[in-house]
Amino acid sequence: MTRPRFEVGQIIRAYGKEFFAKYPCVPQVHKTFAALAACRTRQLGGHVEVCPECGEIHVSYNSCRDRHCPKCQNKEREVWIEMRKEEIIPGVKYFHVVFTVPDCLHALAMANMALFYGCMFRAAGATLKTFFDAKGLQGGMMSILHTWGSNLFYHPHIHCIVTGGGVDKNGRWHTLKGCRGAKDFLFPVRALSDMFRAKLMAMLTHALKLKDALIPQNVRKACFSKGWVVYSRPPAKGVTQVLEYIGRYAYRVAISNSRIKDVSADGMVTYDWKDYRNEGKHKTMRMHAVEFLHLFSLHILPPAFVRIRHYGLLSPCNRDKVRSVQVRKGGKPIPKERRKPSYITLCEQKGWEVGICPHCKCRMQVIEIIEPSRAPPVSLMTSQIAHK
């Protein structure tokens, strides 16, 4: 596969110093930008491979493995999908539900990211649980945080993959009425919206009170004066399609390198985006690299923040219930001892030619290990980005 001409790391190396001079940032942004700038460069070390047949030499540099890096998510996504395959309940339709917040809360969210995103997760989970409880069922929810729109602007929202039914108190599976026929809604979206708003605002009020802070009155008034948006429809049919669909959302980053179309000599970045309000038409956005990096920095999560969470039937503590349902529906139960597949195993399964000579298809041999450079302090590393 052809590598993109332009990369986020390349922009950081060229304009990072100018960005940090204009925008004071928290340490996590400095750390992430330093990792992305060094990704797959001599700084992180690597190895040299040679083909024993034709003598082809290939130098590979190590990845940063940062979760915000556009180049480091492919392996993690595939490993995650393989693990989720074991949890699929055969014959069950999975709904896609998206919880969004109005833009009047964006300033509050950016100032209190960990607190705000945590409240979003809990409010979305509690909202869906309330609707399942009303049916006397325990449903399963897989929640994924995204903070961006396609145009890269700040837009926090929670993607939920929700089972189209649940188990009763006796562990028996029941399919919800909304999953039958041509109905695209798991629960009434207007009711979901109102309940999500009430729960999130209550949770935010309580969480901020513990920090001796309040939701500004004008913000609270704006929140309750408009309807909130909850999107709901079933994803693609079939187990394989569902997993690919989930994987795209789970390990997507703010912008992929392939979407960056140009970086001009005067620092103007042009990237592709999809306008969902205009029939999903592709458009281009153009701005200076410093402003591009500023937008990108808004989507860097707080340290150790968990952005994929499981609730209800799909939470780890309910694996035995899932196994029971899988067996009753004629499927293969989740193994009690689970191991992540190795990268080599995944490459073989996917047909990826990693470590294979492109000419004679022989397995290449490592002849030299390139040691990484000694890492300087993060503050020094980011100050030197522009000189890399």
Side-chain angles (χ1 to χ4, degrees), residues 192-203:
L192 283 172
S193 301
D194 291 344
M195 183 170 292
F196 176 65
R197 176 177 61 185
K199 289 186 178 296
L200 178 58
M201 294 302 289
M203 290 179 182

Side-chain angles (χ1 to χ4, degrees), residues 108-143:
L108 186 66
M110 284 188 280
N112 305 272
M113 284 187 174
L115 180 150
F116 190 92
Y117 299 156
C119 287
M120 283 185 69
F121 270 116
R122 293 194 297 274
T127 298
L128 289 169
K129 182 179 183 300
T130 300
F131 280 82
F132 273 111
D133 287 346
K135 303 288 185 179
L137 301 174
Q138 182 183 40
M141 295 151 275
M142 184 186 308
S143 303

Side-chain angles (χ1 to χ4, degrees), residues 368-382:
E368 181 184 351
I369 299 296
I370 304 172
E371 296 296 333
S373 305
R374 184 174 181 271
V378 169
S379 58
L380 177 61
M381 188 184 299
T382 51

Side-chain angles (χ1 to χ4, degrees), residues 91-111:
V92 171
K93 184 180 289 187
Y94 289 78
F95 280 73
H96 180 202
V97 182
V98 184
F99 293 90
T100 65
V101 298
D103 55 9
C104 57
L105 284 173
H106 287 185
L108 186 66
M110 284 188 280

Side-chain angles (χ1 to χ4, degrees), residues 330-344:
K332 184 179 179 180
I334 304 172
K336 292 193 175 181
E337 293 186 7
R338 309 175 77 191
R339 293 182 180 179
K340 290 184 178 181
S342 68
Y343 185 53
I344 296 298

Side-chain angles (χ1 to χ4, degrees), residues 32-144:
T32 299
F33 273 29
L36 270 58
C39 186
R40 298 187 188 177
T41 67
R42 176 65 178 79
Q43 185 177 332
L44 296 184
H47 62 271
V48 180
E49 297 175 315
V50 65
C51 175
E53 295 292 330
C54 66
E56 174 78 12
I57 296 177
H58 184 233
V59 180
S60 296
Y61 293 119
N62 295 331
S63 302
C64 67
R65 291 193 273 186
D66 190 280
R67 61 177 171 174
H68 303 94
C69 181
K71 295 189 289 188
C72 293
Q73 300 304 302
N74 195 39
K75 173 192 170 184
E76 295 300 325
R77 180 179 63 251
E78 296 301 328
V79 170
W80 189 83
I81 289 175
E82 290 299 315
M83 299 290 284
R84 301 288 80 77
K85 280 183 179 180
E86 299 172 346
E87 300 169 5
I88 287 291
I89 301 173
V92 171
K93 184 180 289 187
Y94 289 78
F95 280 73
H96 180 202
V97 182
V98 184
F99 293 90
T100 65
V101 298
D103 55 9
C104 57
L105 284 173
H106 287 185
L108 186 66
M110 284 188 280
N112 305 272
M113 284 187 174
L115 180 150
F116 190 92
Y117 299 156
C119 287
M120 283 185 69
F121 270 116
R122 293 194 297 274
T127 298
L128 289 169
K129 182 179 183 300
T130 300
F131 280 82
F132 273 111
D133 287 346
K135 303 288 185 179
L137 301 174
Q138 182 183 40
M141 295 151 275
M142 184 186 308
S143 303
I144 304 158

Side-chain angles (χ1 to χ4, degrees), residues 122-196:
R122 293 194 297 274
T127 298
L128 289 169
K129 182 179 183 300
T130 300
F131 280 82
F132 273 111
D133 287 346
K135 303 288 185 179
L137 301 174
Q138 182 183 40
M141 295 151 275
M142 184 186 308
S143 303
I144 304 158
L145 172 69
H146 281 180
T147 61
W148 58 85
S150 180
N151 58 8
L152 202 58
F153 291 0
Y154 191 68
H155 175 54
H157 54 285
I158 300 286
H159 289 273
C160 296
I161 306 300
V162 188
T163 57
V167 296
D168 60 21
K169 60 182 181 181
N170 298 316
R172 296 178 180 176
W173 178 266
H174 297 269
T175 299
L176 288 175
K177 185 178 179 181
C179 300
R180 297 194 179 102
K183 295 186 177 180
D184 285 344
F185 301 102
L186 179 62
F187 299 116
V189 290
R190 182 66 63 84
L192 283 172
S193 301
D194 291 344
M195 183 170 292
F196 176 65

